Amino acid sequence: MSADTPGRSLGGRFAEATHPVLERINRSVEVDKRLWAQDLRGSAAHARMLAKVGLITADERDALLEGLRAVHEELEQGTFVFLPSDEDIHMAVERRLGERIGEPARKLHTGRSRNDQVLTDVLLWLRDELPGLRGDLVAYVEALVTRAEEGVGTPMPSFTHLQPAQVSSVGQWLCAHAAEVAGHLRRLDHLLERLDACPLGSGASAGGYLPLDRAHTAEALGFARPSLNATQTTGSRIELLDVLGLLTLVGVSLSRLGEELVVFCSPSFGFVALPDRLTTGSSLLPHKRNPDGAELLRSGGKLAAAELAGLASVTAGLVSGYSKDLQGDKALLFAAWDRTRDLLALATVHVDALTWRADRLRAACGPELAALWLADRLVLAGLPFREAHHLVGLAAREGDGDLAEGFRAALAAHATPVPEAQAIAAELAAQTPEGLLAALKTEGSAGPESVRGQIAVLKGIVGR
Ligand code: ARG
């Protein structure tokens, strides 16, 4: 057999070396070497399958498995030397395997292509790593729920349009974040179920001519089944988009936590304080203590959406089957993945460390936050809701911050008598943030009983 053209691997077809610029830009090993363990695992399963169906001998299989173990050790110890000619992790492993065991290495790639190999590696990696992400989500929910238990009876304003809306509680606010992340946990579990088809053996584009046993490799690698269609499998990155979709949603939630912490710890609000270890200084202003971590949650949480959009747009216009465009998938996935895990850890330490300023929270629950309670109280007394809404709106206008005073004025101006008017006015005058909180009745509300129920559900979800 003649050697490859100098300066080129897979060189039988080519008469000259690859242009250095193409070689450099085509090289993906810096990114995909992260998949080395999965690549070796996939190759071992493939070698066993090849022997099972008689495409290689038992001796060749054993030589391959032994060689793969040796390469594993080098990669694990960090003694594996990547060469400039190693285009990707698949070629690097095959090259090194050849150096270690010689001839049998030349049979390993029988019946497979890098197109099915690379996706097999990524899916194996995801199946290995998703439990770690799940653990981060669980730890974050646990932190939220632990703090929520302390805050069930601590009034704080809820907002719409960042305008004070109703009296809520610290517990309800924390459970709101936890409830959203509990949804992400369900999404992750469903996702894991969806990543269950093994690409290995799909070949380059439309399958191959050898009697492979794809079910055997699928099972050996822990998948539920071989993938259905070789062309779709090798030419699509739908699974990665699915994962990036989850990371995007997690990022959206974390970004909102970050924004709220930035606002809440600003002295103008003063709802929470962050410890020194979660704040940074200013190079010029000596007094500053800035919530950089919360800001990075806010900004970093948005970036997975960019990676999702990037991969979606790269894959959207492609012809069926593999195109090199797909090679960019892993950099996007890993960037989003690593950042999301860091941000989850960052969010968890923030939640653990928050100091709530109960006095400031209570002071922010002004008299107008009784408005809906008052309207609902009038409904219970027999007023149609729209009439109650109008009357309380008038009270807010007349009272200019003093709702009880305004209510008296509004009653006086009201055309028809309001049932229980005097009793309701007296109840309103005696109302407190704690009273408003305790009076909340609906399921899912900030009422203490509701929040305790939410906490119990959330604890069940994270298995506590
Ligand atoms: N490094 C490649 C990737 O990540 C592997 C597949 C290469 N396939 C090919 N036909 N050149 O997509």
Side-chain angles (χ1 to χ4, degrees):
M1 236 211 79
S2 59
D4 280 348
T5 307
R8 145 73 106 198
S9 59
L10 313 175
R13 173 70 177 76
F14 304 94
E16 60 174 356
T18 315
H19 194 285
V21 172
L22 175 58
E23 182 162 19
R24 182 159 49 78
I25 214 156
N26 191 39
R27 202 166 181 260
S28 61
V29 70
E30 282 315 319
V31 172
D32 58 36
K33 68 181 173 196
R34 185 166 177 174
L35 301 170
W36 67 264
Q38 290 76 21
D39 197 72
L40 292 171
R41 209 189 317 153
S43 287
H46 189 66
R48 286 200 177 88
M49 184 276 291
L50 290 176
K52 177 178 177 273
V53 301
L55 286 165
I56 60 174
T57 66
D59 285 349
E60 287 168 334
R61 174 199 61 205
D62 293 344
L64 284 169
L65 294 178
E66 191 44 45
L68 288 167
R69 266 194 292 276
V71 175
H72 189 284
E73 204 173 297
E74 289 182 16
L75 282 156
E76 197 166 48
Q77 315 273 304
T79 56
F80 187 104
V81 181
F82 286 94
L83 302 181
S85 55
D86 291 335
E87 185 183 315
D88 53 31
I89 185 63
H90 327 294
M91 300 301 288
V93 165
E94 196 179 323
R95 188 257 311 151
R96 186 64 186 141
L97 192 65
E99 291 166 5
R100 298 285 307 222
I101 66 167
E103 202 53 25
R106 298 167 57 79
K107 295 199 172 175
L108 178 61
H109 212 56
T110 305
R112 75 175 184 191
S113 149
R114 281 181 294 162
N115 299 352
D116 54 336
Q117 193 181 357
V118 66
L119 188 61
T120 304
D121 290 3
V122 176
L123 295 186
L124 284 173
W125 185 88
L126 284 167
R127 290 166 62 92
D128 288 345
E129 297 294 323
L130 273 163
L133 177 67
R134 192 178 201 290
D136 296 342
L137 290 165
V138 165
Y140 176 44
V141 173
E142 281 177 340
L144 290 163
V145 168
T146 302
R147 299 306 307 276
E149 278 184 305
E150 303 159 13
V152 171
T154 311
M156 81 179 268
S158 71
F159 298 90
T160 72
H161 314 266
L162 194 51
Q163 302 293 318
Q166 289 177 260
V167 174
S168 181
S169 72
V170 166
Q172 172 79 350
W173 181 83
L174 288 157
C175 281
H177 283 278
E180 188 149 300
V181 180
H184 300 331
L185 277 170
R186 290 187 64 192
R187 289 184 186 95
L188 185 147
D189 291 341
H190 292 164
L191 180 60
L192 209 43
E193 283 170 30
R194 290 200 289 278
L195 302 179
D196 66 348
C198 183
L200 197 57
S202 292
S205 170
Y209 305 93
L210 299 169
L212 305 184
D213 186 346
R214 292 192 57 210
H216 186 266
T217 34
E219 199 195 326
L221 292 170
F223 290 97
R225 64 185 69 82
S227 61
L228 188 63
N229 179 295
T231 310
Q232 187 274 336
T233 300
T234 52
S236 153
R237 289 296 178 266
I238 285 293
E239 293 90 347
L240 274 67
L241 291 172
D242 211 351
V243 175
L244 283 168
L246 172 69
L247 300 179
T248 297
L249 300 185
V250 172
V252 166
S253 304
L254 294 180
S255 182
R256 297 183 69 165
L257 177 86
E259 162 69 358
E260 286 191 283
L261 294 182
V262 169
V263 171
F264 289 173
C265 78
S266 166
S268 309
F269 271 73
F271 286 1
V272 295
L274 295 170
D276 278 355
R277 65 181 178 281
L278 293 179
T279 55
T280 60
S282 157
S283 62
L284 178 61
L285 304 172
H287 67 292
K288 289 300 287 295
R289 241 171 123 264
N290 295 325
D292 294 40
E295 291 168 89
L296 291 168
L297 280 173
R298 180 174 62 190
S299 61
K302 296 172 186 172
L303 293 176
E307 280 124 1
L308 172 64
L311 187 60
S313 61
V314 161
T315 53
L318 297 178
V319 170
S320 303
Y322 181 85
S323 299
K324 204 42 168 291
D325 311 49
L326 298 182
Q327 178 162 275
D329 61 350
K330 288 167 288 300
L332 294 167
L333 173 71
F334 292 151
W337 186 273
D338 293 339
R339 188 187 322 102
T340 304
R341 293 204 59 180
D342 276 347
L343 293 179
L344 277 167
L346 187 63
T348 302
V349 297
H350 272 77
V351 169
D352 281 340
L354 291 178
T355 303
W356 291 99
R357 294 266 159 84
D359 52 334
R360 297 291 302 253
L361 291 164
R362 195 174 191 282
C365 294
E368 291 196 343
L369 269 61
L372 180 61
W373 171 82
L374 178 58
D376 281 351
R377 180 69 187 80
L378 290 164
V379 165
L380 290 176
L383 241 58
F385 178 73
R386 270 293 154 244
E387 193 176 336
H389 184 283
H390 179 81
L391 193 61
V392 179
L394 203 61
R397 169 145 57 113
E398 295 289 329
D400 192 23
D402 185 341
L403 194 68
E405 186 53 45
F407 185 54
R408 273 182 219 104
L411 284 175
H414 199 62
T416 52
V418 172
E420 299 180 47
Q422 291 322 309
I424 294 173
E427 284 171 42
L428 175 62
Q431 201 47 280
T432 60
E434 290 75 12
L436 290 168
L437 196 57
L440 284 165
K441 286 219 168 28
T442 54
E443 193 177 338
S445 74
E449 204 180 311
S450 157
V451 176
R452 277 190 213 101
Q454 295 176 45
I455 289 171
V457 170
L458 290 162
K459 280 184 171 177
I461 289 171
V462 295
R464 275 208 316 169

